């Protein structure tokens, strides 16, 4: 398992459009990608579940993955979470 902790910088947090881009990116990997925030976790491949996490500016988020290309998946999803607006 590979994991990384990042902080969301987007002024308005991760709302529907950026979250959809995140899901699209996560689905390109064969591994399970999990996003965890505020004690809740969700698959990065589910737009609905991501929106239940409340991904707001300044919050720390843990991204983890297990399986084929886990490190690459975590790096890609983490970079998006840090830079999307």
């Amino acid at each position: 398992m590979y994991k990384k902790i990042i902080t969301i910088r987007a002024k308005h947090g991760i709302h529907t459009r950026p979250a959809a881009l995140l899901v699209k990116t996560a689905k390109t990997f064969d591994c399970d990608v999990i996003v965890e925030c505020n004690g809740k976790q969700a698959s990065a491949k589910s737009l609905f579940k991501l929106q239940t996490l409340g991904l707001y500016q300044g919050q720390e988020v843990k991204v983890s993955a297990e399986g084929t290309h886990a490190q690459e998946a975590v790096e890609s999803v983490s970079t998006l979470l840090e830079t999307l607006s």
Side-chain angles (χ1 to χ4, degrees):
M1 178 178 278
Y2 186 80
K3 41 187 147 173
K4 185 173 184 178
I5 297 175
I6 58 99
T7 301
I8 295 175
R9 297 181 193 161
K11 183 177 179 180
H12 300 292
I14 305 299
H15 51 84
T16 305
R17 272 187 227 153
L21 182 58
L22 185 71
V23 169
K24 184 177 180 180
T25 300
K27 285 185 175 184
T28 64
F29 298 99
D30 290 332
C31 58
D32 295 325
V33 183
I34 304 298
V35 177
E36 188 175 335
C37 183
N38 296 322
K40 297 181 194 174
Q41 62 181 14
S43 170
K45 297 180 180 184
S46 171
L47 180 60
F48 175 75
K49 290 184 179 181
L50 279 176
Q51 291 179 310
T52 65
L53 296 180
L55 302 172
Y56 301 111
Q57 181 184 29
Q59 290 186 309
E60 283 194 351
V61 176
K62 180 169 80 173
V63 180
S64 59
E66 191 166 353
T68 309
H69 304 292
Q71 183 174 353
E72 187 181 345
V74 168
E75 293 298 333
S76 293
V77 169
S78 296
T79 298
L80 277 175
L81 278 170
E82 286 181 309
T83 59
L84 286 173
S85 58

